[in-house]
Amino acid sequence: MRTAGRPTLEAVARRAGVSRATVSRVVNGSTTVAEEIREAVHRAVAELGYVPNLAARSLVTQRTDSIALVMPEDANRVFSDDQFFPGIIRGVSQELEAADKQLVLMLAGSPAGRERVARYTTGRHVDGVLFASLHAADPLPALLAQLGIPVVCNGRPLDGAGLPYVDVDHVGGVSRAVEHLIGTGRRRIATIAGPSDMVAGIERLAGYRQTVAAAGLSARVAVGDFTRESGAAAMRDLLAQHPDLDAVFVASDLMAQAALRTLREAGRRVPDDVAVIGFDDTETAAYTEPPLTTVRQPIQEIGRQMTRQLLRLAAGGSIEPALVLPTELILRDSA
Amino acid sequence: MRTAGRPTLEAVARRAGVSRATVSRVVNGSTTVAEEIREAVHRAVAELGYVPNLAARSLVTQRTDSIALVMPEDANRVFSDDQFFPGIIRGVSQELEAADKQLVLMLAGSPAGRERVARYTTGRHVDGVLFASLHAADPLPALLAQLGIPVVCNGRPLDGAGLPYVDVDHVGGVSRAVEHLIGTGRRRIATIAGPSDMVAGIERLAGYRQTVAAAGLSARVAVGDFTRESGAAAMRDLLAQHPDLDAVFVASDLMAQAALRTLREAGRRVPDDVAVIGFDDTETAAYTEPPLTTVRQPIQEIGRQMTRQLLRLAAGGSIEPALVLPTELILRDSA
DNA sequence: TTGTATGCGTTATCAT
DNA sequence: ATGATAACGCATACAA
């Protein structure tokens, strides 16, 4: 049996000729250690290549210094090629890195996956949980909050639970988009909405409805699920139901890209015959044919803000229950 | 000071009227426990809502039941909207879920980030490490391997270290693409290569070079970094340097999408004047104008296989040093 | 300022 | 088959 494992606090202490407690102090940056001794310890640490055992530390501190980011695996949106998923992760990572915490990624698509996430998070194996892109009314966030585990969601939780969340101004962005269409003379404005069990889908549709209503126009709605395929199908439906439409607001760039192609195949010119506006401003938007006018949302910033809020919560602080980030209309050639 | 923390093994033991050891056995599925007692324990566990403390377990078992996936944060490729990054993650997650292990995601873009990754992984806070999309000769993988920490890379490590890796058949895929161009009468075939410090960039360029050489054609090379922007710039260079080109193999779909646009802006028709073939077969490929002929690589499968290999390694097993997955030419309209 | 002693919640070894 | 008991590596209250 090799005792040749990695060096422990004990080993460093022996080497530096001090006690474990002192080494622990130095390692954790306590200021009440004599300069001389501190240096000796640092030297010993370097020589031995000592790295603290996180499990041991966690056992006594009751903290894990890691947080979980939960995403619904089956959301096509999450794994299609818009930047939503990577953007969120990147934002979260940046903030976490600054706080020297680890990111545990959990995909909760299948029932089994959801079960796993529930076990893991309720078991307090992380200091807090971030939920991205919730579907329907997921009971887990509220449950965790009840257990006293810090939770922050992306998008207002649909079950009305008073959980803290970070989201963008969907309605404002969509309004500006639709108003732009109206302002450029469009009157028969349709929409391809997102799924009705996701906040983003609901809010963007609401923004569309209230803006066309305010202008005295009638609504023409087809529903997709944020994927290109669904966008193409919805566009075909729309053309069949309302062949006279002269504009369409599409709730995601991916669906808009597909709609563009469907319109082209149907012989409609964009924007001459039909104006198209998307939502997201993913990189693709600038490369569609024609380049897509769209509503930009600061995805990465969502991740960052969610993380900041969570860390504040985990540190025992209090936060604002909701944080709404601005959206912006990006004008290109499609409308 | 509240002792109201979560229930421990001890609490369950008291409730079930047995010893801690027995509860531990039941929880870990030992078969040497009387049926009656086992049930009593299970009941107690359920009633108390007991969940094992992973830190404590990890402290004694010397395992963490989690593995790290390291990605170079600054690689534009990783965070642009091709599915590479999400695809790898998804594949890794699936396999990890099956093995009931956690995924710790680490972005190692900045020097500070790389430092963090090194500390964390060498500190054995994970049971193994997956490296995705390595840049240049990163010393970390080899270092970890030397420390006896299981490591699997995506793509053959450039420093020639004999580390196990999983990759796709770049050369084979590119050869088929270029041969297709030749077979359809193209003779002035250029390429937009990927970065020369990444395996994918190097291999795909090699595949191009050897195939055109074998056909007695001359090479025309421009270099990009897998991003759209770089693709557009490279395409402009190519048109300036070799205005007579009649085909271009582009090392990523993103760059190809930009090249398509650049060609269109330059008044070249695709595929009539210039044939274009990409690499990746991301979702976008089917929606470009015209739809992109491209080389498909099984991204998600890379993630799965890497994970399988790593778990095998972590379990003390041995694995093949290299696993090369097949690529496939997908014919659409651009070539 | 430094050292001693204790406990965090598990698993595993050894008796029984 | 079950129960004591000893680690695992660390942070911290308390003593010095």
Side-chain angles (χ1 to χ4, degrees), chain A residues 1-307:
Chain A
M1 181 195 288
R2 309 181 316 140
T3 330
R6 29 198 290 246
T8 71
L9 215 52
E10 176 70 37
V12 177
R14 269 201 308 271
R15 176 104 178 193
V18 297
S19 74
R20 288 203 312 253
T22 298
V23 177
S24 177
R25 290 187 189 104
V26 172
V27 168
N28 291 301
S30 166
T31 50
T32 68
V33 176
E35 186 54 32
E36 192 182 356
I37 292 196
R38 172 199 307 287
E39 289 202 356
V41 170
H42 275 141
R43 209 168 21 245
V45 164
E47 287 168 2
L48 265 40
Y50 169 75
V51 182
N53 180 317
L54 292 191
R57 173 179 286 171
S58 178
L59 187 55
V60 43
T61 60
Q62 305 280 35
R63 288 173 310 127
T64 63
D65 288 322
S66 67
I67 72 108
L69 171 57
V70 180
M71 318 196 79
E73 178 185 17
D74 61 346
N76 287 308
R77 175 145 203 264
V78 166
F79 279 106
S80 62
D81 62 356
D82 72 18
Q83 293 112 300
F84 191 77
F85 178 47
I88 293 283
I89 290 188
R90 187 182 214 176
V92 170
S93 293
Q94 288 175 347
E95 289 299 317
L96 245 31
E97 182 158 345
D100 201 34
K101 303 215 178 298
Q102 297 310 318
L103 170 57
V104 177
L105 197 66
M106 312 200 74
L107 304 185
S110 60
R114 295 175 39 76
E115 162 64 24
R116 252 179 92 246
V117 170
R119 265 211 335 271
Y120 194 77
T121 54
T122 58
R124 296 178 187 269
H125 302 317
V126 287
D127 296 341
V129 185
L130 254 24
F131 284 90
S133 196
L134 287 173
H135 267 269
D138 188 331
L140 187 53
L143 171 60
L144 291 175
Q146 221 170 346
L147 291 174
I149 298 168
V151 167
V152 173
C153 301
N154 162 30
R156 182 172 46 76
L158 290 175
D159 55 3
L163 298 173
Y165 69 90
V166 176
D167 206 350
V168 298
D169 180 16
H170 299 282
V171 172
V174 176
S175 289
R176 251 164 284 135
V178 176
E179 276 159 10
H180 172 77
L181 292 172
I182 295 172
T184 50
R186 311 290 174 164
R187 289 297 174 271
R188 295 178 299 281
I189 305 171
T191 191
I192 297 179
S196 58
D197 64 344
M198 290 178 70
V199 200
I202 295 171
E203 302 260 300
R204 293 173 198 174
L205 178 55
Y208 162 85
R209 282 195 189 282
Q210 71 186 53
T211 310
V212 293
L217 302 176
S218 61
R220 298 141 208 253
V221 180
V223 177
D225 62 6
F226 286 140
T227 64
R228 273 185 267 248
E229 270 191 10
S230 73
M235 191 67 243
R236 280 193 294 271
D237 280 3
L238 242 26
L239 285 174
Q241 301 285 323
H242 313 283
D244 63 337
L245 58 82
D246 60 9
V248 47
F249 163 71
V250 191
S252 85
D253 281 358
L254 255 40
M255 293 196 296
Q257 186 179 21
L260 246 27
R261 175 166 149 183
T262 301
L263 285 167
R264 188 164 54 231
E265 290 169 355
R268 310 288 182 110
R269 292 166 307 163
V270 175
D272 311 43
D273 302 332
V274 180
V276 175
I277 297 186
F279 197 109
D280 280 339
D281 193 30
T282 56
E283 268 193 52
T284 292
Y287 288 84
T288 54
E289 173 58 21
L292 189 67
T293 288
T294 187
V295 179
R296 173 181 298 168
Q297 60 169 337
I299 298 177
Q300 198 170 318
E301 194 58 23
I302 296 176
R304 302 186 63 137
Q305 295 294 353
M306 286 177 70
T307 309

Side-chain angles (χ1 to χ4, degrees), chain B residues 168-217:
Chain B
V168 299
D169 180 17
H170 298 283
V171 172
V174 176
S175 290
R176 252 164 285 135
V178 175
E179 276 160 10
H180 172 76
L181 292 172
I182 295 171
T184 51
R186 313 288 173 165
R187 289 297 175 268
R188 296 178 297 284
I189 306 172
T191 191
I192 297 178
S196 57
D197 65 343
M198 290 179 70
V199 201
I202 296 170
E203 303 261 297
R204 291 173 200 174
L205 177 55
Y208 162 82
R209 283 195 188 282
Q210 72 186 53
T211 310
V212 293
L217 303 176

Side-chain angles (χ1 to χ4, degrees), chain B residues 71 193 214:
Chain B
M71 319 196 78

Side-chain angles (χ1 to χ4, degrees), chain B residues 152-169:
Chain B
V152 174
C153 300
N154 163 29
R156 180 173 46 75
L158 290 176
D159 55 4
L163 298 173
Y165 68 90
V166 176
D167 207 349
V168 299
D169 180 17

Side-chain angles (χ1 to χ4, degrees), chain B residues 13-28:
Chain B
R14 267 203 307 274
R15 175 104 177 193
V18 297
S19 72
R20 288 202 311 252
T22 298
V23 176
S24 177
R25 290 189 187 102
V26 172
V27 168
N28 291 300

Side-chain angles (χ1 to χ4, degrees), chain B residues 267-295:
Chain B
R268 309 288 181 110
R269 292 166 308 162
V270 176
D272 309 43
D273 304 330
V274 180
V276 175
I277 297 186
F279 197 109
D280 280 338
D281 194 31
T282 56
E283 267 191 53
T284 293
Y287 287 85
T288 55
E289 173 57 22
L292 189 67
T293 288
T294 188
V295 180

